[in-house]
Amino acid sequence: MTLDPVSSPSLKLAASAVLPDDGYAGTLVGRAWLTGEVPGPAVVAIRADGVYDLSRAFPTMSTLLDADDPARRVRETAGSRIGSLEELLSNSVHPGCDMRRPYLLAPCDLQVIKAAGVTFAASLIERVIEEQAGGDPSRAEEARAQVRETVGDDLSLIKPGSEQAMALKRLLQERGVWSQYLEVGIGPDAEVFTKAPVLSAVGTGQEIGIRSDSAWNNPEPEVVLAISSEGAIVGATLGNDVNLRDIEGRSALLLGKAKDNNASCAIGPFIRLFDASFGLDAVRGETVHLTVRGPEGFELAGISSMSQISRDPLDLVAQTMAAHQYPDGFMLFLGTLFAPIQDRSQPGSGFTHLVGDVVSIRSARLGELRNRVAHSEDAAPWRFGLRAFIANLARRGLLAHDL
């Protein structure tokens, strides 16, 4: 169902809503599109007195995240003020952005965008249900009852890869209900996949895309780690790992089609670097809140508590790097506890997006990421790839730096 965007809920971005609960206390960095003689993307620091361009010192976010103590380097770099955060946010809502003025982008650039799936027990059950229902939402309730009768509601006490987990696996196999999702949920190996191409993520205020041929889909509110080329976790942000449940439910081999589409990966609003105010233990305790407001007045709320994750972030990073290198670093979605089953229209239909939905993802320490849903085919096409990025850096005289 497509509705006129004019009837959609308001998507306004204000500093008071977008910033973390402690405001500017942390070290906040992002990326912004700057105007001028040669317009282009810049690494920026978000400070109480404005947004500062750091691109002369750090031409890419990858450069900054690979620096020795990135938070300290940001504090030591004065940069050039480009405006207030309020000014940039007010011009970051798409469509309608004034291309002649600065606006925010997704805070990552050269990093590969990876995602870990089925990392929470509650969402694990829903993935099994998707598979049992064959991607058909009308069969979800029946499949949900059957799966819960066999597996139960709570697998959170089972440590993936443990003897207890392997015993459960053997039992479920004997009952004929073993699933690919259970394999990665309680088995020794995590599911880690490539979510989106380098430079393709959208930032706060931009449209987030679902395929027009998907009839069962949902947002996935997640914490996203920022990781250096050496595998050090140096910060975190928020992300929406949009999921097309009908497509993935038909076959796990359709994961790429379900996950990687135009505008289907939102990251932001900023990266909060690790410093005295924020570190990995804070990430482990973070609670992510989701709100969806629909054009027909529908509202959905949910939470994802990192304290309930089945695999520690350090384990997920280690598994991502076990047999691969990431010379420009990577961003890693950590998965979500949230799996919506609230009926949106008729009983038993469950939840799915409508065009015009406004999705807000917030946590106390990472701020708020806000996007409006559009069809991937109608969202702004991704044009600014690696060749364009390198050429732009060259025209701005930034290639002399170590990228």
Side-chain angles (χ1 to χ4, degrees):
M1 179 178 180
T2 301
L3 296 175
D4 186 341
V6 173
S7 66
S8 297
S10 174
L11 200 172
K12 294 182 179 179
L13 300 177
S16 58
V18 170
L19 284 167
D21 287 358
D22 58 359
Y24 299 96
T27 307
L28 307 176
V29 294
R31 293 172 64 244
W33 187 268
L34 304 188
T35 57
E37 186 176 343
V38 182
V43 176
V44 297
I46 292 84
R47 298 167 177 159
D49 62 341
V51 179
Y52 286 79
D53 174 13
L54 307 182
S55 58
R56 289 295 161 185
F58 306 104
T60 69
M61 184 61 73
S62 176
T63 316
L64 172 57
L65 299 187
D66 256 14
D68 179 36
D69 193 350
R72 176 180 59 81
R73 294 292 301 277
V74 168
R75 291 193 298 270
E76 293 174 350
T77 304
S80 175
R81 190 179 187 278
I82 60 174
S84 69
L85 177 59
E86 209 72 66
E87 290 168 339
L88 267 70
L89 286 171
S90 69
N91 193 43
S92 296
V93 178
H94 299 246
C97 170
D98 184 351
M99 305 299 288
R100 298 166 299 179
R101 297 190 290 120
Y103 57 89
L104 292 176
L105 304 168
C108 53
D109 46 37
L110 295 178
Q111 296 87 351
V112 176
I113 303 173
K114 307 291 287 188
V118 201
T119 54
F120 288 79
S123 61
L124 160 61
I125 298 299
E126 284 299 311
R127 297 291 86 77
V128 177
I129 290 163
E130 285 172 17
E131 185 178 56
Q132 296 293 314
D136 182 353
S138 67
R139 295 172 53 198
E141 277 303 315
E142 178 185 358
R144 187 171 289 113
Q146 292 173 346
V147 169
R148 286 178 171 169
E149 181 179 355
T150 304
V151 179
D153 285 317
D154 188 5
L155 298 176
S156 62
L157 298 179
I158 297 177
K159 182 180 179 180
S162 67
E163 283 299 319
Q164 182 188 20
M166 295 304 97
L168 176 61
K169 174 179 178 178
R170 289 190 293 270
L171 174 63
L172 293 175
Q173 285 176 320
E174 291 171 1
R175 295 186 180 182
V177 294
W178 187 247
S179 161
Q180 299 165 93
Y181 295 102
L182 285 164
E183 177 65 50
V184 297
I186 66 175
D189 300 315
E191 178 193 23
V192 181
F193 58 93
T194 300
K195 167 62 181 178
V198 171
L199 287 171
S200 69
V202 299
T204 196
Q206 294 180 264
E207 291 180 321
I208 190 162
I210 56 170
R211 292 175 62 100
S212 61
D213 57 355
S214 172
W216 189 21
N217 49 68
N218 63 263
E220 292 196 347
E222 305 187 22
V223 171
V224 183
L225 299 180
I227 300 154
S228 75
S229 63
E230 297 299 319
I233 305 172
V234 296
T237 183
L238 297 171
N240 189 348
D241 177 19
V242 179
N243 182 36
L244 308 184
R245 302 186 70 177
D246 47 358
I247 293 176
E248 186 181 350
R250 281 161 43 206
S251 170
L253 296 179
L254 293 174
L255 179 68
K257 185 173 183 178
K259 288 290 190 179
D260 183 7
N261 299 291
N262 181 47
S264 67
C265 176
I267 300 177
F270 329 111
I271 294 172
R272 183 166 185 167
L273 296 175
F274 286 179
D275 58 14
S277 72
F278 181 67
L280 187 56
D281 283 341
V283 170
R284 291 185 176 111
E286 198 73 344
T287 297
V288 180
H289 298 264
L290 170 82
T291 304
V292 177
R293 293 181 295 117
E296 84 285 33
F298 174 85
E299 290 196 9
L300 174 73
I303 63 171
S304 181
S305 175
M306 286 293 297
S307 65
Q308 297 187 48
I309 197 168
S310 301
R311 300 182 189 269
D312 188 74
L314 286 174
D315 175 49
L316 292 171
V317 172
Q319 291 209 37
T320 304
M321 300 192 70
H324 213 311
Q325 300 76 43
Y326 296 91
D328 300 305
F330 62 100
M331 308 295 290
L332 180 62
F333 281 75
L334 293 179
T336 184
L337 175 66
F338 177 74
I341 60 174
Q342 178 181 335
D343 290 334
R344 181 162 197 172
S345 53
Q346 57 190 10
S349 65
F351 171 84
T352 196
H353 272 306
L354 295 183
V355 168
D357 281 352
V358 171
V359 182
S360 301
I361 297 172
R362 179 172 184 83
S363 78
R365 297 176 181 87
L366 298 174
E368 183 171 308
L369 172 66
R370 189 176 295 185
N371 304 92
R372 179 180 285 117
V373 173
H375 284 145
S376 293
E377 300 89 336
D378 299 327
W382 175 42
R383 304 288 192 199
F384 197 80
L386 284 167
R387 285 188 300 171
F389 186 36
I390 293 169
N392 183 269
L393 292 173
R395 289 196 299 272
R396 292 158 63 200
L398 297 176
L399 282 185
H401 293 264
D402 178 11
L403 297 183

